Amino acid sequence: MISIDHVSKSFGTAASHTLALDDVSLEVGRGEIYGVVGQSGAGKSTLIRTVNLLERPDSGRITVDGRELTSLGAKDLRIARQGIGMIFQHFNLLSSRTVQGNVELALEVVGVDGKERRSRAGEILELVGLSDKANAYPAQLSGGQKQRIGIARSLATRPSVLLSDEATSALDPETTRSILDLLKTINRELGLTVLLITHEMDVVKAICDSAALIEGGRIAEQGKLVELISKPGSRLAHELFPLGEVPAGTTGTVIDITFSGGLADRPVIAQLAREYAIDVSILGATIETIAGSQAGRTRLELPGSPETIAAAIADLRRQGLLVETVTPTTTAGAAA
């Protein structure tokens, strides 16, 4: 649905420039919710703005719903953009217009007549739960309500793709959850493909099917979350299930066990204690619902001989569990 093919983008002059995107490639499937996560300055905002060519890349191709946008002229690009909605971090509402007027604005721009504009705006306001605020002004709304209006406006032209530029970063946790629930509803009911950028892993956990980690303008890792969870050494997976530092004073072998799907309810600790006579210590654990299924990570300290520990780890791996050894100086672990 969205193909970003070897895209690079720099800012500045030839003598002094910043490379914001460096040979970036991504594929977002139809109907997916795809998250791009990274720190400030990593290139997230530049990346999402290249998808609708608000930032034209220096090189590479952008294809959305089968149309290569980077090859289009100005007129055809304006038409193609009608199929791409965009939600902004700071809402970008017109204070002089009512809620209804702000939603209708997107339709005015593309020449939709007044009766149809009013009808469509009413439909979308009902979808986002703000029909009763149609005649209110932005100053009378909460932050979450303003973002719902921003979402409604982005849906007015019936896009097939929705871009979200840090849409929840200015909101409190409870409001963030409600906006993410709304995005999931829109994705499910309208069949929209959603590409969002964020610096918050909680957003990725909550709604994404796939994700990419961007650093210094390059994609460091990407894939479907259910596959990344079982990938040894995956940085995204470790960020999804943070367990922190290994406590000082540990003397046994420390392992992280990652499980997902049908493996989540295995009595792993009881089995280790029973079959290998190991006094297992639990150093940390986390469990989440990722892409619709339970997954998590448990950190254990295993005392005993190297032979016993090796046999126990081999047994866990035969059960399909991802097992990584951890040292006191690392937090992410290393595949062993």
Side-chain angles (χ1 to χ4, degrees):
M1 188 63 173
I2 301 174
S3 176
I4 301 171
D5 186 22
H6 296 287
V7 164
S8 294
K9 175 66 179 178
S10 61
F11 296 96
T13 64
S16 175
H17 73 283
T18 299
L19 187 59
L21 298 176
D22 185 7
D23 195 31
V24 170
S25 293
L26 280 179
E27 296 287 335
V28 181
R30 188 178 297 275
E32 264 198 313
I33 301 180
Y34 196 111
V36 178
V37 64
Q39 298 300 313
S40 297
K44 304 187 304 297
S45 290
T46 301
L47 176 62
I48 203 166
R49 288 169 66 86
T50 62
V51 174
N52 56 8
L53 265 64
L54 290 179
E55 297 287 354
R56 183 171 285 273
D58 301 331
S59 60
R61 295 182 299 175
I62 303 289
T63 304
V64 177
D65 202 11
R67 301 190 72 182
E68 186 186 333
L69 303 191
T70 38
S71 68
L72 299 180
K75 180 180 178 180
D76 288 336
L77 179 58
R78 284 195 297 272
I79 295 171
R81 281 176 174 156
Q82 294 176 29
I84 306 173
M86 189 161 188
I87 312 167
F88 299 93
Q89 177 181 355
H90 297 296
F91 321 133
N92 292 352
L93 303 180
L94 295 180
S95 60
S96 60
R97 284 192 173 228
T98 63
V99 165
Q100 176 97 11
N102 269 281
V103 177
E104 287 188 29
L105 178 61
L107 297 168
E108 287 180 38
V109 170
V110 297
V112 177
D113 67 56
K115 183 179 179 180
E116 187 177 346
R117 288 201 309 267
R118 289 188 292 275
S119 175
R120 177 60 178 163
E123 292 174 7
I124 297 301
L125 287 175
E126 185 172 351
L127 176 64
V128 302
L130 286 179
S131 295
D132 60 333
K133 300 293 183 181
N135 296 317
Y137 286 88
Q140 300 171 294
L141 305 178
S142 67
Q145 289 171 330
K146 289 177 183 177
Q147 192 55 283
R148 285 175 180 265
I149 300 308
I151 292 171
R153 183 183 55 197
S154 74
L155 298 175
T157 58
R158 294 182 170 85
S160 56
V161 168
L162 187 61
L163 308 179
S164 173
D165 186 0
E166 295 273 15
T168 60
S169 64
L171 305 176
D172 62 76
E174 183 176 352
T175 305
T176 291
R177 284 192 294 272
S178 73
I179 293 297
L180 294 178
D181 287 342
L182 176 58
L183 290 177
K184 283 196 293 186
T185 298
I186 290 167
N187 166 255
R188 182 178 63 252
E189 294 186 1
L190 302 183
L192 283 180
T193 301
V194 181
L195 175 62
L196 62 86
I197 64 166
T198 182
H199 62 275
E200 301 171 285
M201 286 303 299
D202 284 345
V203 171
V204 175
K205 289 179 189 178
I207 64 171
C208 290
D209 303 301
S210 301
L213 173 64
I214 188 169
E215 294 179 331
R218 296 185 66 88
I219 299 299
E221 185 180 14
Q222 61 179 298
K224 291 187 177 296
L225 294 187
V226 292
E227 295 173 358
L228 291 171
I229 290 167
S230 301
K231 178 183 175 183
S234 168
R235 293 173 58 192
L236 278 170
H238 281 279
E239 290 294 331
L240 288 169
F241 306 111
L243 292 176
E245 301 283 350
V246 176
T250 54
T251 57
T253 300
V254 178
I255 63 171
D256 284 353
I257 303 172
T258 304
F259 50 85
S260 61
L263 303 176
D265 57 358
R266 294 276 184 88
V268 171
I269 297 172
Q271 178 187 348
L272 287 176
R274 181 176 62 252
E275 295 189 10
Y276 295 94
I278 299 175
D279 293 326
V280 180
S281 296
I282 302 174
L283 303 182
T286 179
I287 187 167
E288 303 280 354
T289 299
I290 304 292
S293 63
Q294 275 199 329
R297 175 172 287 123
T298 301
R299 178 167 291 169
L300 305 176
E301 181 183 7
L302 307 180
S305 68
E307 294 77 16
T308 298
I309 301 306
I313 290 174
D315 190 2
L316 292 171
R317 288 177 174 155
R318 280 193 296 271
Q319 297 177 50
L321 297 164
L322 174 62
V323 182
E324 299 172 287
T325 58
V326 185
T327 67
T329 57
T330 63
T331 58

